[in-house]
Amino acid sequence: MASLSLLLPLGCIFGKGNAFSHQRAQKIRVGALASEPRLRDECAVVNRRSLMNVGVGLLGLVGGATFAEAAGLPPEDKPKLCDDVCEKELENVPMVTTESGLQYKDIQIGSGPSPPIGFQVAANYVAMVPSGQIFDSSLEKGQVYIFRVGSGQVIKGLDEGILSMKVGGKRRLYIPGPLAFPKGLASAPGRPRVAANSPVIFDVSLLFVPGLDDEE
């Protein structure tokens, strides 16, 4: 059986009806790419309804069909963080290249705080191969993903790219092979294969930082 999530191996998933409540989160293992289980005591409190919502989402993933596929939609009609108008505007946005080789373009600069290393973040993402085919997406799952940034819980390029974002921002990350998936990802129905150490593209929106939220 394929992993339930390709990108984010360990963390908390919030369904649409959970209002992003930190206390109502449930820790879930959703893949096999985590370096080590670092959230042993996190997201432990969950009410019965929240757990049912998460269970329904996981059953949908186990079935192997995305929401778009179930509706008979072609791949280009899958939900995206950057639509056709956005794509045209991105052509005029300057590319930023970091020392690691990560490149990015800001779709929208946020007005909130940037997440400190070790803090949890809530984000949506759409992951693509260079051709534009989507291989993983929180939008298709209808779930916001929460993970601890800068702690090795996601691929290196995503960790680095989100750390310099501000809450409310959207960014396209051009992640080189060494910062992506060292072992690659197998293909699956509706999902292209990702070769080992091959570049990938992520559109990411940073929704909020629960730890900073609690302090306000």
PDB file of all heavy atoms in Angstrom, residues 88-130:
ATOM      1  N   LYS A  88       0.849  33.895 -15.030  1.00  0.00           N
ATOM      2  CA  LYS A  88       1.333  34.977 -15.895  1.00  0.00           C
ATOM      3  C   LYS A  88       2.051  36.047 -15.085  1.00  0.00           C
ATOM      4  O   LYS A  88       3.080  36.591 -15.513  1.00  0.00           O
ATOM      5  CB  LYS A  88       0.156  35.580 -16.663  1.00  0.00           C
ATOM      6  CG  LYS A  88      -0.453  34.638 -17.703  1.00  0.00           C
ATOM      7  CD  LYS A  88      -1.600  35.293 -18.443  1.00  0.00           C
ATOM      8  CE  LYS A  88      -2.188  34.342 -19.484  1.00  0.00           C
ATOM      9  NZ  LYS A  88      -3.346  34.958 -20.201  1.00  0.00           N
ATOM     10  N   GLU A  89       1.511  36.354 -13.913  1.00  0.00           N
ATOM     11  CA  GLU A  89       2.142  37.364 -13.063  1.00  0.00           C
ATOM     12  C   GLU A  89       3.494  36.885 -12.550  1.00  0.00           C
ATOM     13  O   GLU A  89       4.428  37.682 -12.380  1.00  0.00           O
ATOM     14  CB  GLU A  89       1.221  37.704 -11.891  1.00  0.00           C
ATOM     15  CG  GLU A  89      -0.064  38.419 -12.305  1.00  0.00           C
ATOM     16  CD  GLU A  89      -0.993  38.659 -11.129  1.00  0.00           C
ATOM     17  OE1 GLU A  89      -0.759  38.057 -10.047  1.00  0.00           O
ATOM     18  OE2 GLU A  89      -1.956  39.436 -11.291  1.00  0.00           O
ATOM     19  N   LEU A  90       3.612  35.576 -12.314  1.00  0.00           N
ATOM     20  CA  LEU A  90       4.877  35.036 -11.804  1.00  0.00           C
ATOM     21  C   LEU A  90       6.022  35.204 -12.796  1.00  0.00           C
ATOM     22  O   LEU A  90       7.185  35.246 -12.401  1.00  0.00           O
ATOM     23  CB  LEU A  90       4.723  33.545 -11.471  1.00  0.00           C
ATOM     24  CG  LEU A  90       4.290  33.180 -10.052  1.00  0.00           C
ATOM     25  CD1 LEU A  90       4.260  31.672  -9.878  1.00  0.00           C
ATOM     26  CD2 LEU A  90       5.188  33.814  -9.010  1.00  0.00           C
ATOM     27  N   GLU A  91       5.693  35.317 -14.074  1.00  0.00           N
ATOM     28  CA  GLU A  91       6.740  35.481 -15.086  1.00  0.00           C
ATOM     29  C   GLU A  91       7.543  36.754 -14.854  1.00  0.00           C
ATOM     30  O   GLU A  91       8.710  36.842 -15.227  1.00  0.00           O
ATOM     31  CB  GLU A  91       6.107  35.501 -16.479  1.00  0.00           C
ATOM     32  CG  GLU A  91       5.463  34.176 -16.881  1.00  0.00           C
ATOM     33  CD  GLU A  91       4.772  34.258 -18.231  1.00  0.00           C
ATOM     34  OE1 GLU A  91       4.852  35.353 -18.864  1.00  0.00           O
ATOM     35  OE2 GLU A  91       4.167  33.258 -18.662  1.00  0.00           O
ATOM     36  N   ASN A  92       6.909  37.748 -14.217  1.00  0.00           N
ATOM     37  CA  ASN A  92       7.567  39.034 -13.971  1.00  0.00           C
ATOM     38  C   ASN A  92       8.086  39.176 -12.541  1.00  0.00           C
ATOM     39  O   ASN A  92       8.601  40.234 -12.170  1.00  0.00           O
ATOM     40  CB  ASN A  92       6.597  40.176 -14.279  1.00  0.00           C
ATOM     41  CG  ASN A  92       6.145  40.174 -15.727  1.00  0.00           C
ATOM     42  OD1 ASN A  92       6.943  39.974 -16.641  1.00  0.00           O
ATOM     43  ND2 ASN A  92       4.845  40.396 -15.949  1.00  0.00           N
ATOM     44  N   VAL A  93       7.939  38.131 -11.753  1.00  0.00           N
ATOM     45  CA  VAL A  93       8.429  38.172 -10.374  1.00  0.00           C
ATOM     46  C   VAL A  93       9.878  37.708 -10.349  1.00  0.00           C
ATOM     47  O   VAL A  93      10.211  36.670 -10.926  1.00  0.00           O
ATOM     48  CB  VAL A  93       7.577  37.263  -9.465  1.00  0.00           C
ATOM     49  CG1 VAL A  93       8.165  37.209  -8.053  1.00  0.00           C
ATOM     50  CG2 VAL A  93       6.138  37.759  -9.427  1.00  0.00           C
ATOM     51  N   PRO A  94      10.765  38.460  -9.729  1.00  0.00           N
ATOM     52  CA  PRO A  94      12.185  38.061  -9.689  1.00  0.00           C
ATOM     53  C   PRO A  94      12.396  36.774  -8.912  1.00  0.00           C
ATOM     54  O   PRO A  94      11.739  36.515  -7.905  1.00  0.00           O
ATOM     55  CB  PRO A  94      12.863  39.251  -8.998  1.00  0.00           C
ATOM     56  CG  PRO A  94      11.781  39.915  -8.220  1.00  0.00           C
ATOM     57  CD  PRO A  94      10.530  39.736  -9.017  1.00  0.00           C
ATOM     58  N   MET A  95      13.327  35.983  -9.399  1.00  0.00           N
ATOM     59  CA  MET A  95      13.678  34.725  -8.738  1.00  0.00           C
ATOM     60  C   MET A  95      14.722  34.990  -7.652  1.00  0.00           C
ATOM     61  O   MET A  95      15.684  35.722  -7.865  1.00  0.00           O
ATOM     62  CB  MET A  95      14.245  33.738  -9.757  1.00  0.00           C
ATOM     63  CG  MET A  95      14.620  32.394  -9.177  1.00  0.00           C
ATOM     64  SD  MET A  95      13.205  31.303  -8.944  1.00  0.00           S
ATOM     65  CE  MET A  95      12.955  30.765 -10.663  1.00  0.00           C
ATOM     66  N   VAL A  96      14.500  34.398  -6.496  1.00  0.00           N
ATOM     67  CA  VAL A  96      15.464  34.486  -5.401  1.00  0.00           C
ATOM     68  C   VAL A  96      16.162  33.134  -5.277  1.00  0.00           C
ATOM     69  O   VAL A  96      15.504  32.085  -5.273  1.00  0.00           O
ATOM     70  CB  VAL A  96      14.774  34.842  -4.073  1.00  0.00           C
ATOM     71  CG1 VAL A  96      15.795  34.855  -2.927  1.00  0.00           C
ATOM     72  CG2 VAL A  96      14.058  36.183  -4.180  1.00  0.00           C
ATOM     73  N   THR A  97      17.492  33.149  -5.186  1.00  0.00           N
ATOM     74  CA  THR A  97      18.261  31.915  -5.041  1.00  0.00           C
ATOM     75  C   THR A  97      19.033  31.973  -3.736  1.00  0.00           C
ATOM     76  O   THR A  97      19.742  32.945  -3.463  1.00  0.00           O
ATOM     77  CB  THR A  97      19.242  31.728  -6.215  1.00  0.00           C
ATOM     78  OG1 THR A  97      18.523  31.726  -7.451  1.00  0.00           O
ATOM     79  CG2 THR A  97      20.005  30.418  -6.077  1.00  0.00           C
ATOM     80  N   THR A  98      18.901  30.943  -2.917  1.00  0.00           N
ATOM     81  CA  THR A  98      19.594  30.900  -1.626  1.00  0.00           C
ATOM     82  C   THR A  98      20.925  30.151  -1.756  1.00  0.00           C
ATOM     83  O   THR A  98      21.211  29.544  -2.785  1.00  0.00           O
ATOM     84  CB  THR A  98      18.722  30.202  -0.567  1.00  0.00           C
ATOM     85  OG1 THR A  98      18.645  28.803  -0.859  1.00  0.00           O
ATOM     86  CG2 THR A  98      17.313  30.793  -0.548  1.00  0.00           C
ATOM     87  N   GLU A  99      21.716  30.176  -0.704  1.00  0.00           N
ATOM     88  CA  GLU A  99      23.021  29.518  -0.726  1.00  0.00           C
ATOM     89  C   GLU A  99      22.904  28.009  -0.943  1.00  0.00           C
ATOM     90  O   GLU A  99      23.798  27.380  -1.510  1.00  0.00           O
ATOM     91  CB  GLU A  99      23.770  29.794   0.577  1.00  0.00           C
ATOM     92  CG  GLU A  99      24.191  31.249   0.752  1.00  0.00           C
ATOM     93  CD  GLU A  99      24.993  31.458   2.019  1.00  0.00           C
ATOM     94  OE1 GLU A  99      25.254  30.449   2.726  1.00  0.00           O
ATOM     95  OE2 GLU A  99      25.382  32.602   2.311  1.00  0.00           O
ATOM     96  N   SER A 100      21.813  27.421  -0.509  1.00  0.00           N
ATOM     97  CA  SER A 100      21.635  25.978  -0.636  1.00  0.00           C
ATOM     98  C   SER A 100      21.280  25.553  -2.061  1.00  0.00           C
ATOM     99  O   SER A 100      21.328  24.374  -2.391  1.00  0.00           O
ATOM    100  CB  SER A 100      20.531  25.501   0.311  1.00  0.00           C
ATOM    101  OG  SER A 100      19.263  25.978  -0.132  1.00  0.00           O
ATOM    102  N   GLY A 101      20.896  26.516  -2.879  1.00  0.00           N
ATOM    103  CA  GLY A 101      20.443  26.195  -4.225  1.00  0.00           C
ATOM    104  C   GLY A 101      18.935  26.267  -4.380  1.00  0.00           C
ATOM    105  O   GLY A 101      18.400  26.173  -5.488  1.00  0.00           O
ATOM    106  N   LEU A 102      18.222  26.435  -3.268  1.00  0.00           N
ATOM    107  CA  LEU A 102      16.772  26.615  -3.330  1.00  0.00           C
ATOM    108  C   LEU A 102      16.449  27.923  -4.044  1.00  0.00           C
ATOM    109  O   LEU A 102      17.101  28.945  -3.820  1.00  0.00           O
ATOM    110  CB  LEU A 102      16.190  26.657  -1.913  1.00  0.00           C
ATOM    111  CG  LEU A 102      14.693  26.977  -1.801  1.00  0.00           C
ATOM    112  CD1 LEU A 102      13.864  25.808  -2.322  1.00  0.00           C
ATOM    113  CD2 LEU A 102      14.318  27.307  -0.365  1.00  0.00           C
ATOM    114  N   GLN A 103      15.434  27.891  -4.899  1.00  0.00           N
ATOM    115  CA  GLN A 103      14.964  29.096  -5.566  1.00  0.00           C
ATOM    116  C   GLN A 103      13.485  29.289  -5.260  1.00  0.00           C
ATOM    117  O   GLN A 103      12.753  28.317  -5.059  1.00  0.00           O
ATOM    118  CB  GLN A 103      15.172  28.996  -7.078  1.00  0.00           C
ATOM    119  CG  GLN A 103      16.630  28.944  -7.499  1.00  0.00           C
ATOM    120  CD  GLN A 103      16.781  28.912  -9.014  1.00  0.00           C
ATOM    121  OE1 GLN A 103      16.188  28.071  -9.694  1.00  0.00           O
ATOM    122  NE2 GLN A 103      17.579  29.812  -9.542  1.00  0.00           N
ATOM    123  N   TYR A 104      13.053  30.545  -5.232  1.00  0.00           N
ATOM    124  CA  TYR A 104      11.625  30.778  -5.002  1.00  0.00           C
ATOM    125  C   TYR A 104      11.179  32.111  -5.591  1.00  0.00           C
ATOM    126  O   TYR A 104      11.973  33.016  -5.842  1.00  0.00           O
ATOM    127  CB  TYR A 104      11.308  30.722  -3.503  1.00  0.00           C
ATOM    128  CG  TYR A 104      11.922  31.811  -2.650  1.00  0.00           C
ATOM    129  CD1 TYR A 104      11.324  33.074  -2.536  1.00  0.00           C
ATOM    130  CD2 TYR A 104      13.083  31.578  -1.918  1.00  0.00           C
ATOM    131  CE1 TYR A 104      11.872  34.061  -1.738  1.00  0.00           C
ATOM    132  CE2 TYR A 104      13.635  32.554  -1.118  1.00  0.00           C
ATOM    133  CZ  TYR A 104      13.022  33.797  -1.028  1.00  0.00           C
ATOM    134  OH  TYR A 104      13.583  34.772  -0.242  1.00  0.00           O
ATOM    135  N   LYS A 105       9.858  32.179  -5.809  1.00  0.00           N
ATOM    136  CA  LYS A 105       9.191  33.414  -6.210  1.00  0.00           C
ATOM    137  C   LYS A 105       8.002  33.617  -5.280  1.00  0.00           C
ATOM    138  O   LYS A 105       7.259  32.682  -5.010  1.00  0.00           O
ATOM    139  CB  LYS A 105       8.701  33.333  -7.656  1.00  0.00           C
ATOM    140  CG  LYS A 105       9.805  33.342  -8.707  1.00  0.00           C
ATOM    141  CD  LYS A 105       9.204  33.409 -10.109  1.00  0.00           C
ATOM    142  CE  LYS A 105      10.286  33.512 -11.178  1.00  0.00           C
ATOM    143  NZ  LYS A 105       9.697  33.696 -12.541  1.00  0.00           N
ATOM    144  N   ASP A 106       7.849  34.827  -4.789  1.00  0.00           N
ATOM    145  CA  ASP A 106       6.721  35.113  -3.906  1.00  0.00           C
ATOM    146  C   ASP A 106       5.485  35.425  -4.738  1.00  0.00           C
ATOM    147  O   ASP A 106       5.475  36.383  -5.514  1.00  0.00           O
ATOM    148  CB  ASP A 106       7.037  36.270  -2.973  1.00  0.00           C
ATOM    149  CG  ASP A 106       7.890  35.847  -1.783  1.00  0.00           C
ATOM    150  OD1 ASP A 106       7.539  34.828  -1.149  1.00  0.00           O
ATOM    151  OD2 ASP A 106       8.911  36.509  -1.505  1.00  0.00           O
ATOM    152  N   ILE A 107       4.456  34.619  -4.561  1.00  0.00           N
ATOM    153  CA  ILE A 107       3.167  34.868  -5.202  1.00  0.00           C
ATOM    154  C   ILE A 107       2.455  35.993  -4.463  1.00  0.00           C
ATOM    155  O   ILE A 107       1.853  36.881  -5.060  1.00  0.00           O
ATOM    156  CB  ILE A 107       2.305  33.591  -5.169  1.00  0.00           C
ATOM    157  CG1 ILE A 107       2.998  32.471  -5.947  1.00  0.00           C
ATOM    158  CG2 ILE A 107       0.915  33.858  -5.725  1.00  0.00           C
ATOM    159  CD1 ILE A 107       2.333  31.114  -5.794  1.00  0.00           C
ATOM    160  N   GLN A 108       2.558  35.957  -3.161  1.00  0.00           N
ATOM    161  CA  GLN A 108       1.953  36.981  -2.298  1.00  0.00           C
ATOM    162  C   GLN A 108       2.769  37.067  -1.025  1.00  0.00           C
ATOM    163  O   GLN A 108       3.033  36.055  -0.381  1.00  0.00           O
ATOM    164  CB  GLN A 108       0.498  36.600  -1.982  1.00  0.00           C
ATOM    165  CG  GLN A 108      -0.191  37.514  -0.977  1.00  0.00           C
ATOM    166  CD  GLN A 108      -1.613  37.059  -0.696  1.00  0.00           C
ATOM    167  OE1 GLN A 108      -2.360  36.726  -1.608  1.00  0.00           O
ATOM    168  NE2 GLN A 108      -1.988  37.021   0.570  1.00  0.00           N
ATOM    169  N   ILE A 109       3.179  38.255  -0.657  1.00  0.00           N
ATOM    170  CA  ILE A 109       3.954  38.439   0.568  1.00  0.00           C
ATOM    171  C   ILE A 109       2.994  38.635   1.735  1.00  0.00           C
ATOM    172  O   ILE A 109       2.098  39.484   1.689  1.00  0.00           O
ATOM    173  CB  ILE A 109       4.909  39.636   0.448  1.00  0.00           C
ATOM    174  CG1 ILE A 109       5.925  39.381  -0.672  1.00  0.00           C
ATOM    175  CG2 ILE A 109       5.638  39.878   1.769  1.00  0.00           C
ATOM    176  CD1 ILE A 109       6.861  40.526  -0.929  1.00  0.00           C
ATOM    177  N   GLY A 110       3.162  37.837   2.770  1.00  0.00           N
ATOM    178  CA  GLY A 110       2.260  37.919   3.914  1.00  0.00           C
ATOM    179  C   GLY A 110       2.534  39.128   4.791  1.00  0.00           C
ATOM    180  O   GLY A 110       3.579  39.783   4.680  1.00  0.00           O
ATOM    181  N   SER A 111       1.612  39.402   5.674  1.00  0.00           N
ATOM    182  CA  SER A 111       1.741  40.548   6.586  1.00  0.00           C
ATOM    183  C   SER A 111       1.949  40.116   8.034  1.00  0.00           C
ATOM    184  O   SER A 111       2.125  40.952   8.917  1.00  0.00           O
ATOM    185  CB  SER A 111       0.479  41.423   6.503  1.00  0.00           C
ATOM    186  OG  SER A 111      -0.682  40.668   6.828  1.00  0.00           O
ATOM    187  N   GLY A 112       1.937  38.802   8.272  1.00  0.00           N
ATOM    188  CA  GLY A 112       2.099  38.302   9.632  1.00  0.00           C
ATOM    189  C   GLY A 112       3.546  37.987   9.956  1.00  0.00           C
ATOM    190  O   GLY A 112       4.464  38.331   9.204  1.00  0.00           O
ATOM    191  N   PRO A 113       3.776  37.310  11.070  1.00  0.00           N
ATOM    192  CA  PRO A 113       5.146  36.978  11.497  1.00  0.00           C
ATOM    193  C   PRO A 113       5.726  35.807  10.703  1.00  0.00           C
ATOM    194  O   PRO A 113       4.992  35.017  10.099  1.00  0.00           O
ATOM    195  CB  PRO A 113       4.964  36.592  12.967  1.00  0.00           C
ATOM    196  CG  PRO A 113       3.571  36.043  13.028  1.00  0.00           C
ATOM    197  CD  PRO A 113       2.772  36.865  12.057  1.00  0.00           C
ATOM    198  N   SER A 114       7.036  35.704  10.708  1.00  0.00           N
ATOM    199  CA  SER A 114       7.708  34.535  10.156  1.00  0.00           C
ATOM    200  C   SER A 114       7.848  33.489  11.261  1.00  0.00           C
ATOM    201  O   SER A 114       8.039  33.840  12.427  1.00  0.00           O
ATOM    202  CB  SER A 114       9.096  34.901   9.616  1.00  0.00           C
ATOM    203  OG  SER A 114       8.996  35.752   8.502  1.00  0.00           O
ATOM    204  N   PRO A 115       7.767  32.220  10.935  1.00  0.00           N
ATOM    205  CA  PRO A 115       7.829  31.192  11.983  1.00  0.00           C
ATOM    206  C   PRO A 115       9.250  30.973  12.491  1.00  0.00           C
ATOM    207  O   PRO A 115      10.178  30.783  11.695  1.00  0.00           O
ATOM    208  CB  PRO A 115       7.323  29.936  11.264  1.00  0.00           C
ATOM    209  CG  PRO A 115       7.677  30.167   9.824  1.00  0.00           C
ATOM    210  CD  PRO A 115       7.527  31.638   9.594  1.00  0.00           C
ATOM    211  N   PRO A 116       9.461  31.010  13.792  1.00  0.00           N
ATOM    212  CA  PRO A 116      10.778  30.671  14.343  1.00  0.00           C
ATOM    213  C   PRO A 116      11.055  29.179  14.160  1.00  0.00           C
ATOM    214  O   PRO A 116      10.130  28.371  14.084  1.00  0.00           O
ATOM    215  CB  PRO A 116      10.641  31.027  15.827  1.00  0.00           C
ATOM    216  CG  PRO A 116       9.437  31.909  15.921  1.00  0.00           C
ATOM    217  CD  PRO A 116       8.522  31.449  14.839  1.00  0.00           C
ATOM    218  N   ILE A 117      12.322  28.811  14.104  1.00  0.00           N
ATOM    219  CA  ILE A 117      12.691  27.406  14.001  1.00  0.00           C
ATOM    220  C   ILE A 117      12.138  26.637  15.199  1.00  0.00           C
ATOM    221  O   ILE A 117      12.228  27.080  16.339  1.00  0.00           O
ATOM    222  CB  ILE A 117      14.222  27.250  13.955  1.00  0.00           C
ATOM    223  CG1 ILE A 117      14.771  27.816  12.635  1.00  0.00           C
ATOM    224  CG2 ILE A 117      14.632  25.786  14.091  1.00  0.00           C
ATOM    225  CD1 ILE A 117      16.278  27.773  12.532  1.00  0.00           C
ATOM    226  N   GLY A 118      11.526  25.497  14.920  1.00  0.00           N
ATOM    227  CA  GLY A 118      10.978  24.661  15.977  1.00  0.00           C
ATOM    228  C   GLY A 118       9.514  24.900  16.269  1.00  0.00           C
ATOM    229  O   GLY A 118       8.888  24.109  16.977  1.00  0.00           O
ATOM    230  N   PHE A 119       8.933  25.969  15.709  1.00  0.00           N
ATOM    231  CA  PHE A 119       7.512  26.235  15.906  1.00  0.00           C
ATOM    232  C   PHE A 119       6.689  25.424  14.917  1.00  0.00           C
ATOM    233  O   PHE A 119       7.139  25.098  13.818  1.00  0.00           O
ATOM    234  CB  PHE A 119       7.203  27.719  15.711  1.00  0.00           C
ATOM    235  CG  PHE A 119       7.346  28.552  16.952  1.00  0.00           C
ATOM    236  CD1 PHE A 119       8.558  28.637  17.611  1.00  0.00           C
ATOM    237  CD2 PHE A 119       6.273  29.249  17.476  1.00  0.00           C
ATOM    238  CE1 PHE A 119       8.709  29.397  18.757  1.00  0.00           C
ATOM    239  CE2 PHE A 119       6.399  30.017  18.617  1.00  0.00           C
ATOM    240  CZ  PHE A 119       7.625  30.093  19.264  1.00  0.00           C
ATOM    241  N   GLN A 120       5.464  25.112  15.290  1.00  0.00           N
ATOM    242  CA  GLN A 120       4.542  24.491  14.361  1.00  0.00           C
ATOM    243  C   GLN A 120       4.020  25.539  13.381  1.00  0.00           C
ATOM    244  O   GLN A 120       3.874  26.714  13.729  1.00  0.00           O
ATOM    245  CB  GLN A 120       3.359  23.867  15.099  1.00  0.00           C
ATOM    246  CG  GLN A 120       3.702  22.616  15.885  1.00  0.00           C
ATOM    247  CD  GLN A 120       2.484  22.007  16.538  1.00  0.00           C
ATOM    248  OE1 GLN A 120       1.611  22.723  17.015  1.00  0.00           O
ATOM    249  NE2 GLN A 120       2.422  20.687  16.581  1.00  0.00           N
ATOM    250  N   VAL A 121       3.744  25.111  12.166  1.00  0.00           N
ATOM    251  CA  VAL A 121       3.125  25.972  11.167  1.00  0.00           C
ATOM    252  C   VAL A 121       1.965  25.233  10.540  1.00  0.00           C
ATOM    253  O   VAL A 121       1.953  23.997  10.464  1.00  0.00           O
ATOM    254  CB  VAL A 121       4.128  26.393  10.065  1.00  0.00           C
ATOM    255  CG1 VAL A 121       5.259  27.220  10.640  1.00  0.00           C
ATOM    256  CG2 VAL A 121       4.680  25.177   9.324  1.00  0.00           C
ATOM    257  N   ALA A 122       0.964  25.982  10.105  1.00  0.00           N
ATOM    258  CA  ALA A 122      -0.171  25.420   9.374  1.00  0.00           C
ATOM    259  C   ALA A 122      -0.085  25.938   7.947  1.00  0.00           C
ATOM    260  O   ALA A 122      -0.005  27.146   7.722  1.00  0.00           O
ATOM    261  CB  ALA A 122      -1.479  25.851  10.022  1.00  0.00           C
ATOM    262  N   ALA A 123      -0.074  25.027   6.994  1.00  0.00           N
ATOM    263  CA  ALA A 123       0.130  25.426   5.604  1.00  0.00           C
ATOM    264  C   ALA A 123      -0.685  24.562   4.653  1.00  0.00           C
ATOM    265  O   ALA A 123      -1.067  23.433   4.964  1.00  0.00           O
ATOM    266  CB  ALA A 123       1.610  25.308   5.246  1.00  0.00           C
ATOM    267  N   ASN A 124      -0.963  25.123   3.484  1.00  0.00           N
ATOM    268  CA  ASN A 124      -1.465  24.357   2.348  1.00  0.00           C
ATOM    269  C   ASN A 124      -0.338  24.243   1.339  1.00  0.00           C
ATOM    270  O   ASN A 124       0.530  25.124   1.253  1.00  0.00           O
ATOM    271  CB  ASN A 124      -2.674  25.042   1.709  1.00  0.00           C
ATOM    272  CG  ASN A 124      -3.984  24.621   2.349  1.00  0.00           C
ATOM    273  OD1 ASN A 124      -4.197  23.451   2.644  1.00  0.00           O
ATOM    274  ND2 ASN A 124      -4.872  25.576   2.572  1.00  0.00           N
ATOM    275  N   TYR A 125      -0.344  23.185   0.558  1.00  0.00           N
ATOM    276  CA  TYR A 125       0.717  23.006  -0.430  1.00  0.00           C
ATOM    277  C   TYR A 125       0.177  22.258  -1.645  1.00  0.00           C
ATOM    278  O   TYR A 125      -0.784  21.489  -1.556  1.00  0.00           O
ATOM    279  CB  TYR A 125       1.888  22.210   0.168  1.00  0.00           C
ATOM    280  CG  TYR A 125       1.517  20.791   0.547  1.00  0.00           C
ATOM    281  CD1 TYR A 125       1.651  19.748  -0.369  1.00  0.00           C
ATOM    282  CD2 TYR A 125       1.016  20.498   1.813  1.00  0.00           C
ATOM    283  CE1 TYR A 125       1.285  18.452  -0.036  1.00  0.00           C
ATOM    284  CE2 TYR A 125       0.654  19.213   2.152  1.00  0.00           C
ATOM    285  CZ  TYR A 125       0.788  18.191   1.231  1.00  0.00           C
ATOM    286  OH  TYR A 125       0.417  16.913   1.556  1.00  0.00           O
ATOM    287  N   VAL A 126       0.797  22.515  -2.779  1.00  0.00           N
ATOM    288  CA  VAL A 126       0.568  21.751  -4.001  1.00  0.00           C
ATOM    289  C   VAL A 126       1.953  21.384  -4.520  1.00  0.00           C
ATOM    290  O   VAL A 126       2.761  22.264  -4.827  1.00  0.00           O
ATOM    291  CB  VAL A 126      -0.212  22.558  -5.056  1.00  0.00           C
ATOM    292  CG1 VAL A 126      -0.328  21.763  -6.352  1.00  0.00           C
ATOM    293  CG2 VAL A 126      -1.594  22.939  -4.532  1.00  0.00           C
ATOM    294  N   ALA A 127       2.238  20.082  -4.600  1.00  0.00           N
ATOM    295  CA  ALA A 127       3.556  19.603  -4.988  1.00  0.00           C
ATOM    296  C   ALA A 127       3.517  19.081  -6.421  1.00  0.00           C
ATOM    297  O   ALA A 127       2.633  18.300  -6.784  1.00  0.00           O
ATOM    298  CB  ALA A 127       4.008  18.496  -4.039  1.00  0.00           C
ATOM    299  N   MET A 128       4.491  19.512  -7.231  1.00  0.00           N
ATOM    300  CA  MET A 128       4.502  19.174  -8.651  1.00  0.00           C
ATOM    301  C   MET A 128       5.878  18.726  -9.111  1.00  0.00           C
ATOM    302  O   MET A 128       6.892  19.129  -8.543  1.00  0.00           O
ATOM    303  CB  MET A 128       4.086  20.405  -9.479  1.00  0.00           C
ATOM    304  CG  MET A 128       2.699  20.934  -9.171  1.00  0.00           C
ATOM    305  SD  MET A 128       2.427  22.596  -9.854  1.00  0.00           S
ATOM    306  CE  MET A 128       3.282  23.600  -8.623  1.00  0.00           C
ATOM    307  N   VAL A 129       5.899  17.915 -10.159  1.00  0.00           N
ATOM    308  CA  VAL A 129       7.138  17.647 -10.878  1.00  0.00           C
ATOM    309  C   VAL A 129       7.359  18.831 -11.818  1.00  0.00           C
ATOM    310  O   VAL A 129       6.445  19.644 -12.029  1.00  0.00           O
ATOM    311  CB  VAL A 129       7.053  16.317 -11.657  1.00  0.00           C
ATOM    312  CG1 VAL A 129       6.962  15.152 -10.687  1.00  0.00           C
ATOM    313  CG2 VAL A 129       5.869  16.314 -12.616  1.00  0.00           C
ATOM    314  N   PRO A 130       8.546  18.986 -12.395  1.00  0.00           N
ATOM    315  CA  PRO A 130       8.830  20.159 -13.230  1.00  0.00           C
ATOM    316  C   PRO A 130       7.862  20.362 -14.401  1.00  0.00           C
ATOM    317  O   PRO A 130       7.653  21.488 -14.853  1.00  0.00           O
ATOM    318  CB  PRO A 130      10.250  19.891 -13.736  1.00  0.00           C
ATOM    319  CG  PRO A 130      10.883  19.123 -12.612  1.00  0.00           C
ATOM    320  CD  PRO A 130       9.799  18.212 -12.122  1.00  0.00           C
TER     321      PRO A 130
END
